[in-house]
């Protein structure tokens, strides 16, 4: 067994002041009950890199049932991995029991034909658990017993050199869980790390394994990729590693058909998502899906029109085709898919600037999302008029001024009829 490097408190920058107080409570209670209690994963990594951690994961040698006994506010979840969730109001602290190494055969571990782990509840100690983690930088432990950092995989070197490296044989690790390919991209984008050549090389060959991942899990991963404030970088890395085709195949196809405008539109959209996140503004998955599938919907609509369908039916059919193809890959909760549809349906209504139609568009519950979307289309060069400026301007007016602007065209002063030329 490999012995770890122990980095004492004096030699690292992790301070308890930066650890969530509820995570500390869980760590201390486990420790006082005689169990090992360590912070692990993204929390340790982010603190070492002076980032603000998204969440704090805890590892322990207490079995899930033992954790449950210690905490009244605790629920056991998961089948694939059994975990304890400790609740503090709306905050959840995840506590995972150390798992045994993969080579150890056991009835509690189930693989499928391609090597993917389907169920895995074999417990071990920290020296086993570490090899199950994905990247070296995610496999550092912060020990509440003496505030040291425990490093089995030379992770501190990778942290210093900004290198993302899979633990173990990359090919095997990706086959066990293909989502690790997306995690590689997410961490490279989020931390601005370089993916080690051995870790990046198999991605080009194994991307297709993502097709076996259940749509609900891919949906979660897609949101993590695009809603972490680094959507543009994530998108560019997905393109570089040829993975976009496995998440949004219809978007990939549209991009390949030489659509520079669509690519510009996507980059602008993702950039605006990043900006909203960094400004602390709310974001919705509906916007991401609406953007990613916009050109596919337009292309399909055009096909239906050419086959003789009227415009509105053509778009309805196109939306239904594109959405049903996408949900086979990544699910979209219904509350969002209806917003995606609204954003699309409302686009052509920005052409009407007078009367009832324009007024009801301004008052539509999804006006704001549809308007932002339309302006991004304008910015990407898809629209050749001043729609964005016009609809921006009208929102800044008082309701009387708006009314004046929205007066139906027929109330505008009529042009004089030309008198017949005298013969
Ligand atoms: P984030 O900042 O997004 O929370 P994280 O690294 O903490 O990043 P989590 O999904 O919260 O990611 O997982 C916590 C830890 O569990 C990881 O750091 C890693 O050690 C381990 N882990 C998570 N998913 C996998 C996986 N698919 N394969 C192996 N280890 C994993
Ligand atoms: Mg985490």
């Amino acid at each position: 067994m490999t012995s770890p490097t122990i980095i004492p408190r004096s030699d690292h920058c992790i301070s308890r002041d930066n650890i969530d107080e509820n995570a500390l409570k869980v760590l201390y209670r486990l420790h006082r009950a005689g169990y090992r209690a360590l912070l692990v994963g993204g929390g340790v990594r982010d603190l070492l890199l002076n980032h603000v951690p998204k969440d704090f994961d805890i590892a322990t040698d207490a079995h899930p049932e033992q954790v449950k006994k210690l905490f009244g506010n605790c629920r056991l979840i998961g089948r694939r991995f059994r975990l304890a969730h400790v609740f503090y109001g709306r905050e959840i602290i995840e506590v995972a029991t150390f798992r045994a190494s993969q080579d150890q055969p056991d009835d509690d571990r189930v693989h499928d034909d391609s090597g993917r782990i389907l169920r895995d509840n074999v417990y071990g100690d920290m020296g086993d658990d570490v090899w199950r983690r994905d990247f070296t930088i995610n496999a550092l432990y912060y020990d509440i017993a003496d505030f040291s950092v425990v490093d089995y995989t030379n992770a501190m070197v990778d942290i210093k050199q900004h290198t993302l490296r899979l633990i173990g044989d990359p090919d095997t690790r990706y086959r066990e869980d293909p989502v690790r390919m997306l995690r590689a991209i997410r961490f490279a984008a989020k931390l601005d790390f370089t993916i080690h050549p051995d870790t990046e090389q198999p991605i080009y060959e194994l991307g297709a394994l993502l097709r076996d991942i259940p749509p609900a899990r891919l949906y979660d991963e897609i949101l993590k990729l695009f809603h972490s404030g680094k959507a543009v970088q994530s998108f560019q890395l997905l393109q570089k590693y040829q993975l976009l085709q496995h998440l949004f195949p219809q978007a990939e196809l549209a991009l390949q058909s030489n659509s520079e405008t669509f690519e510009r539109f996507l980059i602008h959209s993702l950039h605006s998502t990043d900006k909203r996140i960094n400004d602390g503004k709310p974001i919705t998955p509906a916007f991401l899906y609406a953007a990613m599938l916009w050109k596919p919907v337009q292309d399909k609509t055009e096909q239906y029109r050419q086959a003789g369908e009227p415009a509105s039916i053509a778009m309805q059919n196109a939306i239904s085709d594109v959405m049903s193809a996408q949900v086979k890959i990544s699910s979209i909760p219904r509350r969002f898919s209806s917003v995606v549809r609204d954003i699309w349906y409302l686009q052509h209504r920005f052409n009407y600037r007078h009367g009832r139609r324009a007024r009801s568009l301004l008052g539509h519950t999804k006006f704001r999302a549809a308007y932002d979307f339309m302006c991004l289309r304008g910015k990407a060069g898809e629209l050749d008029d001043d729609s964005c400026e016009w609809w921006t301007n009208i929102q800044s007016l008082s309701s009387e001024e708006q009314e004046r602007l929205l007066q139906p065209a027929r109330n505008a002063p009529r042009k004089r009829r030309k008198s017949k030329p005298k013969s």
Side-chain angles (χ1 to χ4, degrees):
M1 203 180 94
T2 327
S3 54
T5 306
I6 309 286
I7 300 115
R9 171 65 193 98
S10 52
D11 293 356
H12 66 72
C13 66
I14 299 182
S15 153
R16 272 165 294 159
D17 292 344
N18 299 325
I19 300 174
D20 177 270
E21 60 172 328
N22 292 326
L24 281 175
K25 277 186 208 160
V26 175
L27 285 167
Y28 280 126
R29 191 175 302 179
L30 285 165
H31 176 61
R32 289 201 196 101
Y35 298 112
R36 304 278 336 246
L38 305 103
L39 212 57
V40 67
V44 182
R45 176 198 70 213
D46 290 350
L47 288 175
L48 287 169
L49 289 166
N50 287 319
H51 286 254
V52 178
K54 201 180 77 204
D55 50 30
F56 290 89
D57 301 299
I58 290 173
T60 180
D61 57 357
H63 283 201
E65 293 72 22
Q66 294 170 317
V67 177
K68 192 168 165 51
K69 269 195 198 140
L70 270 185
F71 298 93
N73 48 341
C74 175
R75 198 181 301 156
L76 301 188
I77 59 137
R79 205 178 109 77
R80 187 167 165 270
F81 296 130
R82 205 155 165 71
L83 297 167
H85 275 178
V86 184
F87 292 83
Y88 290 95
R90 290 177 62 181
E91 191 184 4
I92 300 173
I93 307 291
E94 196 164 282
V95 182
T97 306
F98 296 140
R99 296 206 180 84
S101 86
Q102 4 247 7
D103 323 324
Q104 208 170 299
D106 198 291
D107 290 348
D108 264 353
R109 185 174 296 123
V110 183
H111 286 84
D112 74 0
D113 296 343
S114 64
R116 188 157 64 100
I117 298 177
L118 299 177
R119 184 148 47 82
D120 184 9
N121 282 312
V122 190
Y123 302 121
D125 59 21
M126 180 164 49
D128 299 319
D129 183 83
V130 63
W131 309 109
R132 323 295 322 280
R133 305 203 164 259
D134 47 7
F135 302 97
T136 58
I137 60 164
N138 286 346
L140 286 161
Y141 299 81
Y142 169 83
D143 194 342
I144 202 65
D146 59 4
F147 316 124
S148 64
V149 169
V150 186
D151 180 4
Y152 285 88
T153 62
N154 258 334
M156 287 305 254
V157 176
D158 289 337
I159 290 262
K160 285 200 185 87
Q161 295 180 345
H162 289 196
T163 301
L164 193 67
R165 186 196 309 261
L166 263 178
I167 297 172
D169 170 51
D171 192 273
T172 313
R173 301 306 311 279
Y174 288 135
R175 284 180 191 280
E176 276 170 11
D177 183 4
V179 167
R180 288 173 185 151
M181 292 183 266
L182 300 179
R183 289 175 60 86
I185 284 174
R186 174 153 70 91
F187 296 126
K190 171 178 160 157
L191 306 168
D192 204 13
F193 269 37
T194 307
I195 306 180
H196 187 276
D198 295 347
T199 297
E200 75 173 349
Q201 187 268 328
I203 299 181
Y204 294 103
E205 289 143 40
L206 301 179
L209 294 176
L210 287 169
R211 295 291 171 104
D212 299 330
I213 302 299
R217 186 161 180 227
L218 270 197
Y219 171 75
D220 288 344
E221 286 303 321
I222 284 173
L223 291 200
K224 286 183 191 164
L225 271 167
F226 290 105
H227 285 178
S228 304
K230 293 284 180 152
V232 174
Q233 284 90 332
S234 297
F235 175 72
Q236 286 165 340
L237 287 174
L238 284 174
Q239 285 188 299
K240 173 178 172 191
Y241 291 107
Q242 299 161 17
L243 294 181
L244 190 70
Q245 56 179 319
H246 304 300
L247 302 184
F248 291 102
Q250 301 174 102
E252 171 74 18
L253 212 67
L255 285 168
Q256 278 176 7
S257 64
N258 227 346
S259 178
E260 280 170 29
T261 314
F262 182 45
E263 182 153 4
R264 257 198 316 273
F265 165 73
L266 286 180
I267 297 281
H268 284 313
S269 305
L270 298 173
H271 186 73
S272 97
T273 305
D274 285 342
K275 188 162 177 331
R276 287 184 73 87
I277 291 173
N278 296 325
D279 293 347
K281 292 187 183 159
I283 42 157
T284 164
F287 206 84
L288 171 71
Y289 274 82
M292 281 291 179
L293 301 174
W294 174 232
K295 184 79 172 42
V297 162
Q298 285 176 301
D299 291 349
K300 260 269 151 69
T301 304
E302 186 52 33
Q303 280 172 24
Y304 276 113
R305 290 204 67 166
Q306 284 185 3
E309 297 287 356
S312 63
I313 305 286
M315 189 167 197
Q316 260 177 40
N317 291 347
I319 290 177
S320 144
D321 289 358
V322 167
M323 289 293 245
S324 38
Q326 183 62 38
V327 294
K328 289 195 184 111
I329 294 165
S330 69
S331 48
I332 316 171
R334 203 174 292 273
R335 65 184 184 285
F336 297 130
S337 61
S338 68
V339 182
V340 175
R341 287 187 166 84
D342 280 343
I343 291 174
W344 288 335
Y345 280 129
L346 292 178
Q347 291 308 303
H348 83 278
R349 289 179 49 185
F350 287 103
N351 296 330
Y352 302 100
R353 300 183 181 180
H354 296 288
R356 201 170 41 83
R357 280 183 140 171
R359 214 172 285 122
S360 78
L361 176 56
L362 260 179
H364 195 285
T365 49
K366 295 300 158 214
F367 170 79
R368 188 68 211 193
Y371 154 80
D372 286 343
F373 194 88
M374 179 272 292
C375 282
L376 288 164
R377 292 170 58 210
K379 203 169 169 190
E382 192 196 317
L383 305 175
D384 51 12
D385 63 9
D386 62 346
S387 281
C388 182
E389 289 80 4
W390 196 88
W391 287 95
T392 306
N393 173 48
I394 195 168
Q395 291 173 73
S396 70
L397 302 180
S398 67
S399 39
E400 292 87 50
E401 287 169 326
Q402 284 186 350
E403 266 316 304
R404 220 169 298 136
L405 206 60
L406 294 176
Q407 283 302 310
R410 62 187 139 82
N411 287 357
R414 284 202 187 152
K415 276 186 193 161
R416 273 209 197 148
R417 253 199 222 149
K418 271 186 193 163
S419 49
K420 268 189 189 169
K422 283 176 188 159
S423 50

